[in-house]
């Protein structure tokens, strides 16, 4: 099992170190390699995604990423900014399906801004298309005509792009509660009309999965009104970007949330949060999002669902004892830093 670790910037370095410590406890044959990405890669090599990193991906089975970005690099040309490294990585690895589980840990119910009866038992999975749509469509740019500037992007999807991500979502729904809600804006957008038609076609191969469609504006509302109605949500890139951040708040803290991105080749796993420059280096970062991302890696890239479940249960146990990092202090009995939280989780994993 060869993993390429890309710690990135800010707390990315701290939380990936935690995730690797937890993995080492469970996987004896773990082989690790490390590479550069983001602002730290730019500082060392002049590129946010150096060639050496691309080479290292070829030799690995899966990639674990921390986070990229920071004020220091905000003024660079957009092609050199840390985020360009991240988009380049996703595009290079052709990880077109981003999986974001939103599951509420019982002990964290008090940390959410939503009412307990609304969120208790929420367990949904957002599948976001990751390598197409508005973020990648061409033409794009800002042009100047006389005194007027025009900014433009292109929103387009092809049937193969929709089919491949839909299949991943249907496969997941089949293993879960067999419900899939496809989210679009088919009342206004042509790309959404094709999205809906294509998802309907893919659904024919999954008669046991109940398919529904929802407009994105309604979905934004339903996620807050009654998130328990959802099992798997499938949507395009930009809608998924927005809806998954909204859904993340159901669970209380951004620092808790993992993600995995799948394609036809290797998987890319990363916590949902950014590099948190405001707390980087203070030892306060919540490592759970990264640790749960490592658990997703075990499950989806290495078929080790039991080991993944052990990590999830260990996190649950530690949280139920009232141990918390400073980003989620509601109901805390003991507030600890990154290292101590990691150690508590490792101790629980070892107990099983
Ligand atoms: P952020 O996620 O880094 O931080 C938002 C807030 O949440 C901050 O107050 C931060 O302290 C807190 N937070 C985030 N993760 C935490 C954790 N694990 N534990 C405790 N607290 C945590 O988002 P931002 O502040 O908007 O962005 C900071 C930088 O990160 C920017 O450069 C941005 O572009 C980048 N970013 C990168 C990614 C990524 O690499 N995938 C994602 C989002 C933002």
């Amino acid at each position: 099992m060869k993993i390429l670790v890309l710690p990135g910037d800010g707390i990315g370095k701290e939380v990936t170190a935690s995730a690797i410590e937890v993995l080492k406890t469970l996987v004896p044959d773990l082989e690790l390699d490390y590479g550069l990405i983001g602002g730290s890669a730019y500082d060392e090599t002049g590129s946010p995604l150096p060639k050496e990193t691309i080479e290292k991906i070829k030799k690995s089975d899966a990639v674990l990423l921390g986070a990229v970005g920071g004020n220091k690099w905000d003024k660079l040309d957009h092609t050199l900014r840390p985020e360009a490294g991240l988009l380049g990585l996703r595009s290079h690895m052709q990880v077109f399906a981003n999986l974001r589980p939103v599951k509420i840990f019982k002990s964290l119910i008090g940390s959410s801004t939503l009412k307990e009866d609304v969120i208790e038992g929420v367990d949904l999975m957002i599948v976001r298309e990751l390598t197409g749509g508005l973020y990648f469509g061409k033409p794009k740019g800002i042009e100047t005509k006389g005194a007027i500037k025009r900014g433009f992007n292109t929103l387009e999807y092809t049937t193969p792009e929709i089919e491949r991500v839909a299949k991943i979502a249907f496969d997941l729904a089949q293993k879960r509660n067999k419900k899939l809600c496809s989210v679009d804006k088919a009342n206004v957008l042509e790309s959404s009309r094709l999205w809906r038609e294509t998802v309907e076609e893919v659904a024919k191969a999954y008669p046991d999965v109940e398919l529904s469609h929802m407009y994105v504006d309604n979905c934004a509302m339903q996620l807050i009104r009654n998130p328990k109605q959802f099992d798997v949500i499938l949507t395009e890139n930009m809608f998924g970007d927005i809806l998954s951040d909204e859904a993340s708040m159901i669970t209380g803290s951004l620092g808790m949330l993992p993600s995995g991105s799948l394609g036809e080749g290797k998987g890319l796993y990363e916590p949902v949060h950014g590099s948190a420059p405001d707390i980087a280096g203070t030892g306060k970062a919540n490592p759970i999002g990264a640790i749960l991302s490592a658990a997703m890696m075990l499950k989806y890239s290495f078929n080790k669902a039991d080991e993944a479940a052990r990590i999830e249960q260990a996190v649950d146990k530690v949280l139920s004892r009232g141990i918390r990092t400073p980003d989620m202090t509601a109901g805390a009995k003991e507030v600890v830093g990154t290292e101590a939280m990691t150690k508590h989780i490792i101790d629980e994993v070892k107990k099983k």
Side-chain angles (χ1 to χ4, degrees), residues 157-166 194-195 197-198 201-202:
Y157 272 106
T158 61
T159 40
E161 281 176 321
I162 303 166
E163 278 162 6
R164 62 187 189 175
V165 69
L194 182 68
W195 181 277
E197 261 171 53
T198 311
E201 276 305 307
V202 175

Side-chain angles (χ1 to χ4, degrees), residues 100-102 112-114 119 122 124 126 183 214-227 230 233 238-254 257 272:
R100 286 201 188 180
V102 179
S112 175
T113 48
L114 297 183
I119 57 169
V122 166
L124 62 95
I126 297 185
V183 174
M214 197 178 271
Y215 295 137
V216 61
D217 36 357
N218 185 24
C219 184
M221 185 182 80
Q222 296 296 338
L223 270 173
I224 300 296
R225 196 185 73 83
N226 178 18
F230 296 110
I233 292 177
M238 186 176 66
F239 297 160
D241 195 1
I242 299 166
L243 292 178
S244 53
D245 265 28
E246 182 193 358
S248 75
M249 279 297 99
I250 295 172
T251 63
S253 171
L254 197 56
L257 291 166
V272 167

Side-chain angles (χ1 to χ4, degrees), residues 94-96 128-137 154-158 161 164 195 236-238:
Q94 271 299 300
V95 280
F96 51 78
R128 164 189 170 197
E129 200 290 326
L130 200 62
T131 53
L134 203 54
Y135 297 174
F136 292 92
T154 302
L155 172 52
E156 63 174 0
Y157 272 106
T158 61
E161 281 176 321
R164 62 187 189 175
W195 181 277
E236 61 103 85
N237 201 344
M238 186 176 66

